[in-house]
Amino acid sequence: MKLNLGCGNQTPQGWTNVDYALGARLMKLPMFRAINSRMKLFDLDWDPGIYVHDLTKRFPWRDSSVDVIYSSHTLEHFSIEEGRSFLSECRRVLCENGIIRLVVPDLRHYISEYTEGRTKAYHFIEQLGVLHDNRKNTPKSIFSAFCSFPHKCMYDESALIDVLNQIGFDVSPKAVFDSEIEGIRLIELMDRAENAVIVEGHK
């Protein structure tokens, strides 16, 4: 069993693709796809096959029942406490020696962009992704609090590895597509790996 946690619109076959975004939940309702296509409330065409689950809650999978967990640009949307709970649940459901691979934005990159003058001070907070979508007079702005998920906790490589080690994982930094996961190119996107920390390891 392979879990893709916080899948968004990346839903490869052979994976259990999990998300809790409002669009994914609404897609379970009859006629919503047609309404969204007309009104453009959500940017993503959510796959109705997504397994809907709140990843801040206990996972519905049994202990030691999952072989691989992949999660890209999801952990940073949780507070540090929620993130630790999420990672503890990952460890609980993974089989012994199961693989976990995480991709998160690299805080060190954004700080370097600012300190080296490539990001202006007044754009720095926006670059960190910690703000709700505040565009006015758009359908999405009405639902901003429900369908935009600002970053709540940022990581660099050493911080992410440290947290995972504390949870009980043995992980190391990886480059994009450098993985023990078979078919990694089906799930990992190059543009999501840019300016990001990637780590992979085992329970």
Side-chain angles (χ1 to χ4, degrees):
M1 184 178 189
K2 299 186 292 186
L3 298 180
N4 178 18
L5 302 181
C7 63
N9 65 342
Q10 186 67 357
T11 56
Q13 291 186 351
W15 291 77
T16 298
N17 300 296
V18 184
D19 211 297
Y20 196 63
L22 182 59
R25 285 177 277 163
L26 289 175
M27 194 58 68
K28 301 294 183 181
L29 302 178
M31 300 300 294
F32 175 75
R33 184 187 292 270
I35 294 171
N36 188 54
S37 177
R38 176 173 295 182
M39 298 185 65
K40 304 296 183 185
L41 295 173
F42 298 93
D43 295 334
L44 296 181
D45 186 15
W46 290 94
D47 183 342
I50 288 173
Y51 188 106
V52 174
H53 180 71
D54 182 351
L55 292 170
T56 66
K57 309 298 184 185
R58 181 179 172 85
F59 293 176
W61 303 283
R62 301 188 314 275
D63 294 6
S64 304
S65 63
V66 174
D67 300 294
V68 178
I69 290 177
Y70 182 88
S71 186
S72 176
H73 290 265
T74 297
L75 182 63
E76 69 274 12
H77 295 283
F78 304 141
S79 68
I80 183 62
E81 294 81 10
E82 291 170 339
R84 287 178 181 275
S85 176
F86 169 83
L87 294 172
S88 294
E89 281 296 283
C90 289
R91 190 175 191 281
R92 178 182 67 79
V93 302
L94 267 178
C95 300
E96 196 65 32
N97 208 38
I99 301 172
I100 186 169
R101 184 177 178 92
L102 300 175
V103 183
V104 299
D106 185 1
L107 177 60
R108 191 174 298 276
H109 164 78
Y110 294 102
I111 291 176
S112 296
E113 289 285 291
Y114 167 65
T115 57
E116 295 171 14
R118 291 185 293 275
T119 296
K120 298 296 184 184
Y122 44 77
H123 286 312
F124 181 65
I125 298 300
E126 180 181 350
Q127 290 291 313
L128 291 180
V130 297
L131 304 174
H132 280 289
D133 183 348
N134 59 3
R135 292 174 293 177
K136 299 184 183 302
N137 302 319
T138 65
K140 189 172 181 179
S141 68
I142 299 171
F143 299 100
S144 178
F146 304 100
C147 61
S148 68
F149 300 93
H151 297 166
K152 294 182 179 180
C153 187
M154 299 292 287
Y155 300 86
D156 59 16
E157 183 180 288
S158 62
L160 183 58
I161 290 174
D162 183 56
V163 169
L164 285 160
N165 286 343
Q166 291 175 28
I167 298 297
F169 289 107
D170 180 17
V171 300
S172 59
K174 292 289 185 178
V176 62
F177 306 140
D178 174 20
S179 176
E180 293 183 38
I181 299 172
E182 184 177 355
I184 187 65
R185 291 177 180 270
L186 296 176
I187 192 168
E188 191 153 272
L189 300 175
M190 177 64 80
D191 63 346
R192 301 290 277 170
E194 293 178 353
N195 309 322
V197 174
I198 306 174
V199 300
E200 180 175 308
H202 298 269
K203 176 176 176 178

